[in-house]
Amino acid sequence: MINRLSVTQKLVLSFVFVIIVGSILLSLPISHYANSPETSYLDHLFNTVSMVCVTGLSVVPVSKAYNGLGQILSMLLMQTGGLGLVSLIAFSTYTLKNKLGLSDQDLLQSALSRDNQKDLKAYLAEAKQDNKKIGFVPTMGALHNGHLSLVQHCVKNNDVCVVSVFVNPTQFNDKHDLETYPRTLEADCVLLESAGCDYVFAPSVEEMYPEPDTRTFDLGTVSEVMEGAKRPGHFNGVAQVVSKLFYIVEPDNAYFGEKDFQQIAVIRAMVKQLDIPVKINDCPILREADGLALSSRNVRLTPEQRQKAPLIARTLKESANFAPEKSVQEVIDYVINTINADPVMRVEYYEIVDGNTMESIKNWSDTTYPVGCITVYCGEVRLIDNIKY
Ligand code: AMP
């Protein structure tokens, strides 16, 4: 609930909290302390008010900048213990912010987000000098809880969490898709800040590609089948941008979602081929309550399509119930026919593959790791999903 509040609301809330609790403490009867030989009422009062201030200013998760400021103020208050000072500082911070005409997003973006490699590298050099573990989550923005689950894994397992927000043109084989891809950097920064991300790298196309990237990757079957076959050049673009980002960030850990199941295999192959020393961590698919896999593209669904879209996950789940008894082909036919029976839906492909090699299987005994990968057009919107059998 508190993370939904704006920075200003959090700031005001923290100061109101301090003032209310402080005032209650001020009104406590002096007689209660009169008999205490060690602590005078005034000492105790100042200590209590200071503690309340410390709690109020640092527990309420204001932006990092405010939090730092809050802690300095708290230290000051430890020495002086004065509600007047708190009110004065609250008032002057608020007035200053308004006078400067800064929006919450401005503050968050300036605190969190940078668009050039130089700043990012300088920031990371310091962290690396201190032997800090760097975690990295590459995204194209328009963030939702699926992305944030990756960020949470990253924050939990590393000292520094860097997230990139970059809509990479080289991985779009459809110009219309690139042009209409949702871009919401300001809102993304707000979400990332509350998720505990330390640095948002949001470069321009020129920053990432001062010259065209002419590299062609040969990553074998993992990049050639399914998405590779249907979206020519897509995985080459993914390998280009992710390798560039890995060279810039040099992370210890990188986090990818299993929603783009084949993409993880491509990244693993690329990292192996280029010998990049990073651990690739895969994270489970986050879904809506009705089963639809979260995706930045879901916002493009009409209300009717949105209502129909959970059919994909539902059918995959149902197919897993009888998968061992039916042949691989029967399961494939069931999934395709069930989804295509809805006029709004059109299955582009459904394949059951070995989850490591991405090679199609004919019999369940062909692999110990069978995964079904699907792409469906729901109206104009291309949705992907998968299931482990
Ligand atoms: P994108 O911004 O679409 O390139 O996605 C960035 C990362 O978030 C990729 O590793 C995706 O696989 C991951 N991701 C996207 N949607 C989900 C989801 N619903 N659950 C888990 N991870 C996701």
Side-chain angles (χ1 to χ4, degrees):
M1 148 68 180
I2 209 135
N3 286 340
R4 290 176 191 274
L5 298 178
S6 74
V7 175
T8 310
Q9 285 168 328
K10 289 174 184 174
L11 191 67
V12 170
L13 187 73
S14 61
F15 281 117
V16 167
F17 175 73
V18 168
I19 288 164
I20 292 176
V21 181
S23 308
I24 293 169
L25 287 167
L26 268 173
S27 64
L28 283 177
I30 294 177
S31 59
H32 180 77
Y33 300 95
N35 299 331
S36 166
E38 289 102 26
T39 322
S40 76
Y41 168 67
L42 225 54
D43 282 348
H44 190 95
L45 181 67
F46 282 176
N47 284 341
T48 319
V49 170
S50 304
M51 286 313 292
V52 172
C53 293
V54 173
T55 319
L57 289 167
S58 48
V59 167
V60 180
V62 185
S63 84
K64 290 238 158 66
Y66 281 133
N67 225 0
L69 179 66
Q71 272 155 17
I72 294 167
L73 293 180
S74 308
M75 293 301 288
L76 265 175
L77 286 163
M78 286 282 204
Q79 305 299 319
T80 60
L83 280 175
L85 185 61
V86 178
S87 319
L88 191 69
I89 290 166
F91 179 72
S92 40
T93 311
Y94 189 70
T95 316
L96 190 70
K97 179 173 170 271
N98 281 350
K99 280 259 179 288
L100 290 175
L102 291 171
S103 69
D104 294 348
Q105 276 78 11
D106 286 336
L107 284 169
L108 282 171
Q109 274 194 30
S110 60
L112 258 195
S113 156
R114 296 278 184 285
D115 61 5
N116 66 80
Q117 300 182 30
K118 226 175 90 204
D119 284 350
L120 172 59
K121 281 184 171 162
Y123 172 82
L124 290 172
E126 234 174 84
K128 282 171 188 166
Q129 217 166 27
D130 296 341
N131 271 331
K132 289 191 172 161
K133 210 195 276 181
I134 315 287
F136 177 49
V137 184
T139 79
M140 296 204 297
L143 302 183
H144 49 67
N145 284 338
H147 296 109
L148 296 183
S149 69
L150 270 54
V151 176
Q152 278 152 11
H153 283 286
C154 181
V155 168
K156 192 167 158 220
N157 297 299
N158 298 276
D159 301 310
V160 174
C161 169
V162 178
V163 176
S164 64
V165 174
F166 180 61
V167 182
N168 173 38
T170 74
Q171 72 188 69
F172 283 81
N173 51 338
D174 175 350
K175 205 163 161 258
H176 177 70
D177 193 21
L178 171 64
E179 279 161 8
T180 56
Y181 200 86
R183 289 163 169 84
T184 57
L185 182 59
E186 291 187 356
D188 292 345
C189 285
V190 174
L191 288 173
L192 289 171
E193 202 274 337
S194 15
C197 162
D198 297 291
Y199 199 109
V200 179
F201 180 49
S204 63
V205 174
E206 295 71 37
E207 179 71 18
M208 283 305 284
Y209 299 107
E211 270 147 41
D213 191 339
T214 53
R215 291 175 300 161
T216 307
F217 290 84
D218 179 4
L219 301 170
T221 311
V222 290
S223 66
E224 288 160 3
V225 297
M226 298 189 290
E227 291 297 279
K230 297 292 180 196
R231 301 179 70 187
H234 168 65
F235 282 135
N236 202 64
V238 169
Q240 285 176 341
V241 74
V242 176
S243 60
K244 267 175 179 276
L245 289 166
F246 281 174
Y247 288 136
I248 296 168
V249 179
E250 297 182 54
D252 298 283
N253 284 297
Y255 296 83
F256 294 87
E258 284 183 342
K259 167 155 173 297
D260 299 279
F261 189 78
Q262 191 179 1
Q263 176 172 272
I264 302 184
V266 169
I267 301 289
R268 287 214 160 93
M270 180 271 289
V271 159
K272 194 170 168 204
Q273 195 170 88
L274 299 179
D275 208 9
I276 302 178
V278 57
K279 180 165 184 270
I280 305 300
N281 300 271
D282 29 8
C283 307
I285 304 177
L286 226 80
R287 298 179 180 280
E288 301 280 8
D290 58 15
L292 176 66
L294 295 185
S295 164
S296 307
R297 290 189 167 90
N298 292 353
V299 294
R300 288 206 216 140
L301 297 167
T302 64
E304 191 209 356
Q305 291 163 352
R306 174 62 191 82
Q307 205 198 347
K308 299 275 178 89
L311 175 66
I312 305 167
R314 204 164 54 237
T315 308
L316 291 180
K317 208 169 157 202
E318 278 161 12
S319 75
N321 291 337
F322 56 77
E325 288 94 53
K326 303 276 182 194
S327 72
V328 170
Q329 192 55 50
E330 282 169 327
V331 170
I332 292 174
D333 291 344
Y334 169 80
V335 168
I336 294 178
N337 295 337
T338 309
I339 296 175
N340 279 345
D342 189 312
V344 173
M345 309 286 223
R346 182 170 59 80
V347 175
E348 188 178 29
Y349 67 79
Y350 182 57
E351 292 191 26
I352 300 181
V353 299
D354 175 299
N356 293 313
T357 63
M358 300 297 130
E359 277 169 20
S360 283
I361 59 162
K362 288 202 162 42
N363 303 298
W364 296 112
S365 58
D366 290 347
T367 177
T368 52
Y369 187 21
V371 181
C373 299
I374 196 162
T375 296
V376 180
Y377 276 96
C378 184
E380 297 281 290
V381 187
R382 193 172 184 271
L383 301 173
I384 64 170
D385 205 338
N386 59 77
I387 189 160
K388 295 177 188 174
Y389 285 109

